[in-house]
């Protein structure tokens, strides 16, 4: 086959591969493991065959004396050839691309007992073959394969390449999704293609960009030599960065002896630096491709995160106090609108400045208004019982028929967002639990302790009536999801600019705190005497919220346009007014990310100068 035919066949395979991403890989994923296993067994078996048939003496190459002789004999050319040695294990990083979907132990076992022996035997066999046929070095792999196994080997090679490519594509989707959840990447549409497996993601915009980039590089390079140079610099940079980060982890997290850490760093960093210097020597021969792409991607992420943080700080410094909100609602010209209003904001403390702007333009407030902040925490998952944190903004009173609350909805970076209707239903249901806790224990008590009911909202209250008035409410207590005064969270809040609502660590999660004996003693001490009138009032408050929920939900979004201050530097104006504006105008808007129906959406525009 000619080179042009091979290139266009490759482009066709790439187009087909990226075209089927929208359907997900769960339907054909069960084929991946058998294909890779057969491929490893095949190349390992062929390696053993070539070793026994041609020259068993190549096993002497394990003696380190020969590498010293090689460098002594070849000098500078030997050092340059280290870049080619990298190609012996490029592709193995595809195994670690699935680290987010499989356990560490499974990857360790498959790497140690599957990948390494098979690849090592394959290269040993090719070395034995080249000892007898040194003129066939350009195509040693297929030349060394027995003729009867040529077509099975070709089919499995294509299949293994597709599986490895699929692993890297899935890794790209997962990485972009996690970066977006942490506010480090522009908003893109993340689709979950499988109801059974959470890791099956599809991002249309990223898929299109990857497909175009892969096809352009293939058509421009036309040979595997250029792509190999590009691949080699990727691999060695990943190795070096991993060594640097692991060194920090060993020092700061694992607290390993400094001498052992120094020994580890010197050995690995020295070897990887030698490989890096070799591939950088041929940077102009294709190594610049991934470096340029990485620089562009990093620039986008840095720009987005910079403006995102500056905008957050701008809002945080101009928050509206709860007293100002109460005065605003007390105005005679502010009417009461029926239904539930969900006002989305990024702030977890204070009221955003866009709210009084909304009331000035449209002097009305919903009967039940919640300031909702959706936060993605640096943990994979947040339990549903710990998802919502509530706090009163305006105290409930008999002479006011409006209820104003704050809610922080917390998700792990791998937790999918619900549809708007499901989200509102879950939020209002948890709000009714919070209303019950506030009335029973007060705001401080609801922050420290709460009640968990698996049944409906009012069944437990009715059961208490049947027991009798004044009887102790022997309820199973647990730390409430609205707790912000807990000592564990106080430690989390000790850092400036970090709020308890944004913190949740696996070691200090509320579900684990509920199993502590000291919390159980505090629960027993909080048992109270509740009168029939108090229970009736709580039930009426819950019914009020449910009636307003039945009247409809309106989703309110603050559309803040961010511009640079007039006296800002030229660089800041270019970054904010042009580069950031371009990214924001061409990425997903908030209502699309939250799946809000347009018929229930209200946008409020405001301009921030940063």
């Amino acid at each position: 086959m000619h080179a042009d035919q091979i290139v266009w066949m490759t482009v066709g395979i790439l187009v087909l591969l990226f075209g089927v991403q929208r359907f997900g890989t769960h339907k054909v994923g069960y084929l991946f493991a058998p294909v890779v296993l057969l491929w490893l067994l095949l190349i390992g078996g062929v390696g053993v065959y070539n070793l026994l048939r041609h020259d068993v003496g190549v096993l002497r190459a394990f003696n380190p004396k020969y590498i010293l002789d090689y460098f002594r004999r070849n000098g500078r050319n030997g050092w340059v050839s280290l870049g080619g040695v990298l190609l012996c294990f490029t592709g193995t990083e595809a195994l670690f691309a699935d680290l987010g979907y499989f356990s560490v132990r499974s990857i360790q076992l498959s790497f140690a007992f599957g990948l390494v022996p098979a690849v090592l035997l394959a290269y040993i066999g090719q070395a034995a073959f080249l000892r007898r046929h040194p003129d066939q070095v350009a195509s040693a792999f297929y030349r060394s394969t027995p003729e009867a196994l040529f077509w099975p080997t070709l089919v499995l090679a294509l299949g293994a390449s597709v599986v490895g490519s699929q692993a890297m594509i899935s890794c790209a989707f997962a990485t972009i999704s996690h970066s977006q959840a942490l506010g480090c990447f522009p908003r893109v549409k993340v689709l979950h293609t499988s109801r059974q497996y959470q890791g099956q993601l599809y991002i249309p915009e990223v898929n299109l960009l990857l497909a175009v980039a892969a096809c352009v590089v293939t058509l421009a390079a036309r040979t595997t030599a250029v792509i190999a140079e590009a691949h080699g610099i990727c691999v060695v940079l990943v190795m070096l960065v991993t060594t640097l980060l692991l060194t920090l982890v060993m020092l700061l997290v694992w607290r390993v002896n400094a001498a052992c850490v120094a020994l580890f760093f010197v050995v690995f960093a020295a070897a990887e630096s030698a490989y890096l210097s070799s591939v950088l020597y041929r940077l102009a021969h294709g190594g610049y491709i991934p470096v340029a792409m990485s620089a562009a991607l990093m620039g986008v992420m840095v720009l987005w995160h910079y403006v995102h943080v500056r905008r957050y700080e701008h809002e945080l410094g101009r928050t509206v106090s709860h007293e100002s909100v109460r005065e605003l609602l007390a105005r005679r010209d502010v009417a009461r609108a029926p239904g539930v209003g969900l006002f989305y904001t990024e702030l977890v403390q204070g009221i955003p400045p866009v709210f009084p702007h909304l009331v000035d333009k449209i002097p009305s407030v919903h009967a039940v208004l919640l300031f909702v902040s959706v936060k993605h925490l640096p943990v994979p998952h947040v339990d549903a019982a710990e998802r919502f944190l509530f706090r009163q903004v305006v105290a409930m009173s008999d002479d006011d028929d409006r209820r104003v609350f704050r809610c922080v909805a917390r998700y792990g970076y791998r937790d999918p967002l619900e549809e708007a209707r499901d989200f509102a239903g879950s939020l209002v249901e948890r709000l009714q639990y919070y209303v019950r806790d506030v009335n029973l224990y007060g705001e401080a008590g609801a922050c420290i302790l709460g009640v968990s009911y698996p049944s409906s909202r009012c069944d437990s209250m009715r059961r208490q009536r049947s027991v009798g008035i004044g009887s102790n409410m022997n309820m199973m207590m647990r730390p409430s999801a609205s707790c912000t005064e807990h000592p564990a969270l106080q430690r989390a809040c000790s850092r400036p600019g970090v709020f308890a609502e944004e913190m949740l660590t696996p070691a200090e999660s509320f579900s684990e705190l509920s199993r502590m004996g000291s919390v159980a003693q505090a629960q027993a001490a909080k048992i109270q005497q509740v009168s029939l009138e108090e229970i009736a009032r709580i039930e009426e408050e819950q019914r009020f919220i449910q009636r307003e929920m039945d009247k409809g939900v309106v989703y309110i979004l603050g559309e803040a346009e961010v511009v640079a201050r007039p006296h800002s530097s030229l660089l800041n104006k270019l970054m904010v007014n042009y580069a950031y504006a371009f990214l924001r105008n061409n990425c997903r808007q908030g209502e699309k990310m939250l799946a809000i129906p347009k018929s229930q959406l209200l946008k409020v525009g405001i301009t921030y100068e940063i």
Side-chain angles (χ1 to χ4, degrees):
M1 295 178 64
H2 297 292
D4 290 341
Q5 295 173 319
I6 297 175
V7 167
W8 285 109
M9 284 183 62
T10 303
V11 171
I13 294 174
L14 286 172
V15 171
L16 180 63
L17 176 62
F18 284 101
V20 300
Q21 294 300 315
R22 59 194 297 259
F23 302 107
T25 58
H26 59 282
K27 296 180 180 179
V28 295
Y30 61 90
L31 292 175
F32 289 177
V35 167
V36 174
L37 182 60
L38 288 175
W39 169 250
L40 294 179
L41 291 176
L42 175 67
I43 62 175
V46 170
V48 173
Y49 166 80
N50 286 322
L51 176 65
L52 297 178
R53 181 182 178 184
H54 296 294
D55 187 4
V56 181
V58 296
L59 294 176
R60 290 177 296 173
F62 283 101
N63 188 342
K65 171 182 178 299
Y66 291 103
I67 188 64
L68 299 177
D69 294 341
Y70 175 79
F71 284 122
R72 188 182 303 111
R73 184 171 61 251
N74 293 279
R76 178 173 172 271
N77 292 331
W79 165 70
V80 173
S81 67
L82 286 177
V85 176
L86 278 174
L87 303 181
C88 293
F89 51 85
T90 54
T92 57
E93 70 277 0
L95 181 69
F96 297 95
D98 289 326
L99 186 60
Y101 309 112
F102 299 98
S103 65
V104 175
R105 180 56 54 86
S106 64
I107 291 183
Q108 289 174 336
L109 292 176
S110 59
F111 191 87
F113 298 102
L115 182 64
V116 172
V119 173
L120 199 58
L121 288 173
Y123 285 124
I124 291 174
Q126 290 180 44
F129 173 80
L130 291 175
R131 287 279 292 170
R132 182 168 296 185
H133 306 282
D135 56 322
Q136 298 183 7
V137 64
S139 54
F141 177 74
Y142 283 107
R143 292 290 185 181
S144 63
T145 301
E147 187 174 351
L149 295 177
F150 174 80
W151 288 108
T153 302
L154 179 62
V155 172
L156 282 176
L158 290 175
S161 299
V162 170
V163 172
S165 301
Q166 179 61 58
M168 303 305 293
I169 295 172
S170 300
C171 179
F173 291 159
T175 303
I176 295 298
S177 175
H178 299 168
S179 300
Q180 176 185 268
L182 297 175
C184 298
F185 198 82
R187 293 170 176 170
V188 291
K189 186 177 183 179
V190 180
L191 300 176
H192 293 262
T193 58
S194 174
R195 296 183 179 180
Q196 184 177 1
Y197 303 104
Q198 278 192 325
Q200 298 291 340
L201 304 177
Y202 172 64
I203 305 177
E205 297 92 338
V206 176
N207 187 68
L208 178 61
L209 291 176
L210 281 175
V212 172
C215 292
V216 168
V217 170
T218 301
L219 291 172
R222 302 187 64 80
T223 64
T224 56
V226 176
I227 297 178
E229 297 290 348
H231 203 170
I233 197 169
C234 284
V235 173
V236 71
L237 283 175
V238 167
M239 292 167 57
L240 188 58
V241 170
T242 302
T243 298
L244 295 174
L245 294 179
L246 185 57
T247 301
L248 294 177
V249 171
M250 294 171 70
L251 285 173
L252 303 179
V253 181
W254 296 344
R255 308 285 184 176
V256 180
N257 183 273
C260 297
V261 175
L263 179 62
F264 162 82
F265 179 78
V266 169
V267 172
F268 281 87
E272 291 158 1
S273 298
Y275 281 107
L276 179 62
S277 63
S278 175
V279 296
L280 288 179
Y281 178 79
R282 301 184 61 84
L283 181 67
H285 296 272
Y288 65 89
I289 296 176
V291 175
M293 290 183 174
S294 300
L297 185 62
M298 191 67 184
V300 170
M301 296 177 68
V302 169
L303 172 63
W304 186 267
H305 186 66
Y306 167 76
V307 180
H308 181 82
V309 171
R310 293 294 301 273
R311 173 189 167 183
Y312 185 85
E313 292 174 348
H314 181 90
E315 286 189 334
L316 192 62
R318 292 163 177 80
T319 55
V320 181
S321 64
H322 290 187
E323 290 74 15
S324 300
V325 173
R326 296 187 186 99
E327 295 175 0
L328 192 65
L329 297 179
R331 285 168 36 184
R332 294 185 178 181
D333 61 328
V334 178
R336 174 191 181 278
V340 176
L342 301 183
F343 197 110
Y344 285 89
T345 173
E346 293 187 4
L347 298 180
V348 297
Q349 300 285 342
I351 306 303
V354 70
F355 176 67
H357 178 70
L358 167 66
V359 177
D360 289 339
K361 301 299 180 183
I362 308 176
S364 63
V365 176
H366 288 83
V368 179
L369 179 65
L370 291 100
F371 294 95
V372 180
S373 301
V374 178
K375 290 295 179 182
H376 290 270
L377 308 182
V379 293
H381 300 287
V382 174
D383 188 71
E386 302 170 350
R387 176 142 298 157
F388 297 107
L389 301 176
F390 293 97
R391 191 177 289 174
Q392 278 185 293
V393 176
V394 177
M396 294 171 282
S397 60
D398 296 333
D399 57 347
D400 190 1
D401 56 354
R402 284 174 293 203
R403 309 290 185 267
V404 183
F405 302 93
R406 165 175 297 285
C407 173
V408 180
R410 305 180 302 174
Y411 292 84
Y413 54 79
R414 294 187 64 184
D415 288 333
L417 291 176
E418 305 96 332
E419 294 290 331
R421 181 177 302 176
D422 297 334
F423 175 81
S426 300
L427 187 148
V428 170
E429 181 180 4
R430 292 290 174 178
L431 175 62
Q432 291 172 328
Y433 292 159
Y434 172 75
V435 168
R436 174 201 59 201
D437 295 347
V438 168
N439 282 273
L440 287 176
Y441 309 108
E443 182 71 25
C447 285
I448 299 176
L449 294 174
V451 185
S452 178
Y453 290 102
S455 58
S456 62
R457 292 180 296 276
C458 300
D459 287 347
S460 59
M461 295 299 181
R462 294 192 182 97
R463 285 198 299 270
Q464 291 300 328
R465 285 183 177 183
S466 63
V467 174
I469 307 302
S471 62
N472 289 337
M473 298 186 67
N474 297 315
M475 301 175 180
M476 179 61 68
M477 309 294 291
R478 66 169 177 83
S480 172
S482 58
C483 174
T484 57
E485 286 79 12
H486 197 280
L489 292 180
Q490 289 178 353
R491 292 195 299 271
C493 294
S494 59
R495 293 182 351 203
V498 178
F499 301 107
E501 291 84 347
E502 298 179 270
M503 301 298 298
L504 181 65
T505 61
E508 295 179 340
S509 65
F510 295 112
S511 58
E512 291 191 11
L513 289 171
S514 64
R515 293 191 290 268
M516 296 170 57
S518 59
V519 173
Q521 295 176 2
Q523 293 169 356
K526 281 293 179 180
I527 298 176
Q528 297 184 0
Q529 301 281 341
V530 181
S531 65
L532 179 60
E533 291 78 8
E534 183 73 11
I535 295 175
R537 191 175 70 84
I538 295 173
E539 289 183 345
E540 178 56 32
E541 197 69 43
Q542 291 178 324
R543 283 193 293 267
F544 171 81
I545 296 175
Q546 187 60 47
R547 284 196 303 267
E548 297 302 328
M549 175 68 180
D550 296 336
K551 293 178 182 179
V553 179
V554 176
Y555 303 87
I556 308 170
L557 288 180
E559 286 290 319
E561 180 184 2
V562 181
V563 297
R565 292 178 180 176
H567 302 292
S568 299
S569 63
L570 178 61
L571 178 61
N572 192 51
K573 290 181 179 179
L574 291 175
M575 291 177 60
V576 177
N577 295 348
Y578 296 97
Y580 176 78
F582 175 81
L583 291 176
R584 186 175 180 273
N585 293 332
N586 289 277
C587 68
R588 295 273 171 174
Q589 300 300 316
E591 67 273 15
K592 293 183 179 180
M593 296 298 299
L594 300 170
I596 296 175
K598 291 185 177 180
S599 60
Q600 299 174 266
L601 175 64
L602 175 62
K603 287 187 177 182
V604 186
I606 193 171
T607 301
Y608 294 150
E609 292 185 354
I610 63 172

